[in-house]
PDB file of all heavy atoms in Angstrom:
ATOM      1  N   ASP B 551      30.247   4.620  75.697  1.00  0.00           N
ATOM      2  CA  ASP B 551      30.281   3.580  76.732  1.00  0.00           C
ATOM      3  C   ASP B 551      28.960   3.636  77.494  1.00  0.00           C
ATOM      4  O   ASP B 551      28.621   4.687  78.051  1.00  0.00           O
ATOM      5  CB  ASP B 551      31.461   3.822  77.687  1.00  0.00           C
ATOM      6  CG  ASP B 551      31.503   2.800  78.813  1.00  0.00           C
ATOM      7  OD1 ASP B 551      30.888   1.736  78.674  1.00  0.00           O
ATOM      8  OD2 ASP B 551      32.170   3.080  79.838  1.00  0.00           O
ATOM      9  N   LYS B 552      28.250   2.536  77.482  1.00  0.00           N
ATOM     10  CA  LYS B 552      26.950   2.505  78.151  1.00  0.00           C
ATOM     11  C   LYS B 552      26.901   1.271  79.031  1.00  0.00           C
ATOM     12  O   LYS B 552      26.790   0.144  78.530  1.00  0.00           O
ATOM     13  CB  LYS B 552      25.834   2.466  77.105  1.00  0.00           C
ATOM     14  CG  LYS B 552      24.445   2.632  77.683  1.00  0.00           C
ATOM     15  CD  LYS B 552      23.423   2.704  76.558  1.00  0.00           C
ATOM     16  CE  LYS B 552      22.023   2.966  77.111  1.00  0.00           C
ATOM     17  NZ  LYS B 552      21.038   3.104  76.037  1.00  0.00           N
ATOM     18  N   SER B 553      27.015   1.489  80.331  1.00  0.00           N
ATOM     19  CA  SER B 553      26.968   0.366  81.265  1.00  0.00           C
ATOM     20  C   SER B 553      26.848   0.908  82.678  1.00  0.00           C
ATOM     21  O   SER B 553      27.239   2.049  82.944  1.00  0.00           O
ATOM     22  CB  SER B 553      28.234  -0.479  81.140  1.00  0.00           C
ATOM     23  OG  SER B 553      29.380   0.330  81.320  1.00  0.00           O
ATOM     24  N   ASP B 554      26.315   0.089  83.573  1.00  0.00           N
ATOM     25  CA  ASP B 554      26.217   0.515  84.970  1.00  0.00           C
ATOM     26  C   ASP B 554      27.608   0.510  85.573  1.00  0.00           C
ATOM     27  O   ASP B 554      28.363  -0.447  85.396  1.00  0.00           O
ATOM     28  CB  ASP B 554      25.299  -0.436  85.749  1.00  0.00           C
ATOM     29  CG  ASP B 554      23.868  -0.366  85.244  1.00  0.00           C
ATOM     30  OD1 ASP B 554      23.605   0.448  84.335  1.00  0.00           O
ATOM     31  OD2 ASP B 554      23.025  -1.109  85.768  1.00  0.00           O
ATOM     32  N   LYS B 555      27.945   1.579  86.295  1.00  0.00           N
ATOM     33  CA  LYS B 555      29.298   1.726  86.825  1.00  0.00           C
ATOM     34  C   LYS B 555      29.268   2.524  88.122  1.00  0.00           C
ATOM     35  O   LYS B 555      28.330   3.308  88.356  1.00  0.00           O
ATOM     36  CB  LYS B 555      30.180   2.514  85.848  1.00  0.00           C
ATOM     37  CG  LYS B 555      30.729   1.754  84.659  1.00  0.00           C
ATOM     38  CD  LYS B 555      31.592   2.721  83.861  1.00  0.00           C
ATOM     39  CE  LYS B 555      32.364   2.125  82.714  1.00  0.00           C
ATOM     40  NZ  LYS B 555      32.005   0.867  82.172  1.00  0.00           N
ATOM     41  N   SER B 556      30.324   2.367  88.904  1.00  0.00           N
ATOM     42  CA  SER B 556      30.501   3.258  90.053  1.00  0.00           C
ATOM     43  C   SER B 556      31.771   4.082  89.891  1.00  0.00           C
ATOM     44  O   SER B 556      32.039   4.974  90.696  1.00  0.00           O
ATOM     45  CB  SER B 556      30.566   2.462  91.354  1.00  0.00           C
ATOM     46  OG  SER B 556      31.651   1.568  91.313  1.00  0.00           O
ATOM     47  N   MET B 557      32.561   3.781  88.883  1.00  0.00           N
ATOM     48  CA  MET B 557      33.754   4.590  88.619  1.00  0.00           C
ATOM     49  C   MET B 557      34.269   4.318  87.198  1.00  0.00           C
ATOM     50  O   MET B 557      33.929   3.303  86.594  1.00  0.00           O
ATOM     51  CB  MET B 557      34.870   4.298  89.638  1.00  0.00           C
ATOM     52  CG  MET B 557      35.268   2.844  89.765  1.00  0.00           C
ATOM     53  SD  MET B 557      36.524   2.294  88.575  1.00  0.00           S
ATOM     54  CE  MET B 557      37.949   3.180  89.112  1.00  0.00           C
ATOM     55  N   ALA B 558      35.052   5.244  86.695  1.00  0.00           N
ATOM     56  CA  ALA B 558      35.688   5.037  85.390  1.00  0.00           C
ATOM     57  C   ALA B 558      36.870   5.991  85.272  1.00  0.00           C
ATOM     58  O   ALA B 558      36.826   7.126  85.770  1.00  0.00           O
ATOM     59  CB  ALA B 558      34.705   5.288  84.254  1.00  0.00           C
ATOM     60  N   ASN B 559      37.934   5.502  84.656  1.00  0.00           N
ATOM     61  CA  ASN B 559      39.095   6.334  84.356  1.00  0.00           C
ATOM     62  C   ASN B 559      39.373   6.165  82.868  1.00  0.00           C
ATOM     63  O   ASN B 559      39.294   5.045  82.354  1.00  0.00           O
ATOM     64  CB  ASN B 559      40.335   5.857  85.139  1.00  0.00           C
ATOM     65  CG  ASN B 559      40.039   5.701  86.614  1.00  0.00           C
ATOM     66  OD1 ASN B 559      39.542   6.626  87.248  1.00  0.00           O
ATOM     67  ND2 ASN B 559      40.330   4.527  87.161  1.00  0.00           N
ATOM     68  N   GLY B 560      39.697   7.237  82.193  1.00  0.00           N
ATOM     69  CA  GLY B 560      39.921   7.055  80.776  1.00  0.00           C
ATOM     70  C   GLY B 560      40.471   8.271  80.070  1.00  0.00           C
ATOM     71  O   GLY B 560      40.677   9.336  80.668  1.00  0.00           O
ATOM     72  N   SER B 561      40.704   8.074  78.815  1.00  0.00           N
ATOM     73  CA  SER B 561      41.108   9.171  77.938  1.00  0.00           C
ATOM     74  C   SER B 561      40.147   9.181  76.757  1.00  0.00           C
ATOM     75  O   SER B 561      39.541   8.156  76.434  1.00  0.00           O
ATOM     76  CB  SER B 561      42.549   8.994  77.466  1.00  0.00           C
ATOM     77  OG  SER B 561      42.677   7.797  76.726  1.00  0.00           O
ATOM     78  N   PHE B 562      40.058  10.332  76.141  1.00  0.00           N
ATOM     79  CA  PHE B 562      39.048  10.483  75.099  1.00  0.00           C
ATOM     80  C   PHE B 562      39.525  11.503  74.079  1.00  0.00           C
ATOM     81  O   PHE B 562      40.072  12.545  74.449  1.00  0.00           O
ATOM     82  CB  PHE B 562      37.740  10.950  75.746  1.00  0.00           C
ATOM     83  CG  PHE B 562      36.651  11.280  74.766  1.00  0.00           C
ATOM     84  CD1 PHE B 562      35.995  10.277  74.068  1.00  0.00           C
ATOM     85  CD2 PHE B 562      36.275  12.589  74.551  1.00  0.00           C
ATOM     86  CE1 PHE B 562      34.984  10.581  73.176  1.00  0.00           C
ATOM     87  CE2 PHE B 562      35.271  12.908  73.661  1.00  0.00           C
ATOM     88  CZ  PHE B 562      34.626  11.903  72.965  1.00  0.00           C
ATOM     89  N   VAL B 563      39.356  11.185  72.826  1.00  0.00           N
ATOM     90  CA  VAL B 563      39.608  12.140  71.742  1.00  0.00           C
ATOM     91  C   VAL B 563      38.281  12.337  71.013  1.00  0.00           C
ATOM     92  O   VAL B 563      37.673  11.370  70.525  1.00  0.00           O
ATOM     93  CB  VAL B 563      40.683  11.612  70.782  1.00  0.00           C
ATOM     94  CG1 VAL B 563      40.847  12.567  69.602  1.00  0.00           C
ATOM     95  CG2 VAL B 563      42.012  11.448  71.510  1.00  0.00           C
ATOM     96  N   ALA B 564      37.835  13.574  70.968  1.00  0.00           N
ATOM     97  CA  ALA B 564      36.513  13.840  70.401  1.00  0.00           C
ATOM     98  C   ALA B 564      36.474  13.505  68.916  1.00  0.00           C
ATOM     99  O   ALA B 564      37.261  14.060  68.141  1.00  0.00           O
ATOM    100  CB  ALA B 564      36.137  15.301  70.621  1.00  0.00           C
ATOM    101  N   PRO B 565      35.569  12.623  68.521  1.00  0.00           N
ATOM    102  CA  PRO B 565      35.484  12.284  67.092  1.00  0.00           C
ATOM    103  C   PRO B 565      34.869  13.404  66.255  1.00  0.00           C
ATOM    104  O   PRO B 565      35.082  13.463  65.053  1.00  0.00           O
ATOM    105  CB  PRO B 565      34.595  11.038  67.083  1.00  0.00           C
ATOM    106  CG  PRO B 565      33.774  11.135  68.324  1.00  0.00           C
ATOM    107  CD  PRO B 565      34.621  11.853  69.335  1.00  0.00           C
ATOM    108  N   VAL B 566      34.097  14.245  66.908  1.00  0.00           N
ATOM    109  CA  VAL B 566      33.465  15.378  66.217  1.00  0.00           C
ATOM    110  C   VAL B 566      33.414  16.556  67.190  1.00  0.00           C
ATOM    111  O   VAL B 566      33.469  16.373  68.410  1.00  0.00           O
ATOM    112  CB  VAL B 566      32.024  15.064  65.761  1.00  0.00           C
ATOM    113  CG1 VAL B 566      31.996  14.027  64.662  1.00  0.00           C
ATOM    114  CG2 VAL B 566      31.175  14.613  66.942  1.00  0.00           C
ATOM    115  N   THR B 567      33.294  17.746  66.651  1.00  0.00           N
ATOM    116  CA  THR B 567      33.117  18.918  67.496  1.00  0.00           C
ATOM    117  C   THR B 567      31.719  18.873  68.115  1.00  0.00           C
ATOM    118  O   THR B 567      30.730  18.626  67.429  1.00  0.00           O
ATOM    119  CB  THR B 567      33.270  20.201  66.658  1.00  0.00           C
ATOM    120  OG1 THR B 567      34.602  20.239  66.145  1.00  0.00           O
ATOM    121  CG2 THR B 567      33.013  21.439  67.494  1.00  0.00           C
TER     122      THR B 567
END
Side-chain angles (χ1 to χ4, degrees):
Chain B
D551 178 19
K552 188 175 184 177
S553 55
D554 295 358
K555 281 181 173 18
S556 60
M557 54 86 68
N559 309 307
S561 61
F562 174 72
V563 175
V566 292
T567 297

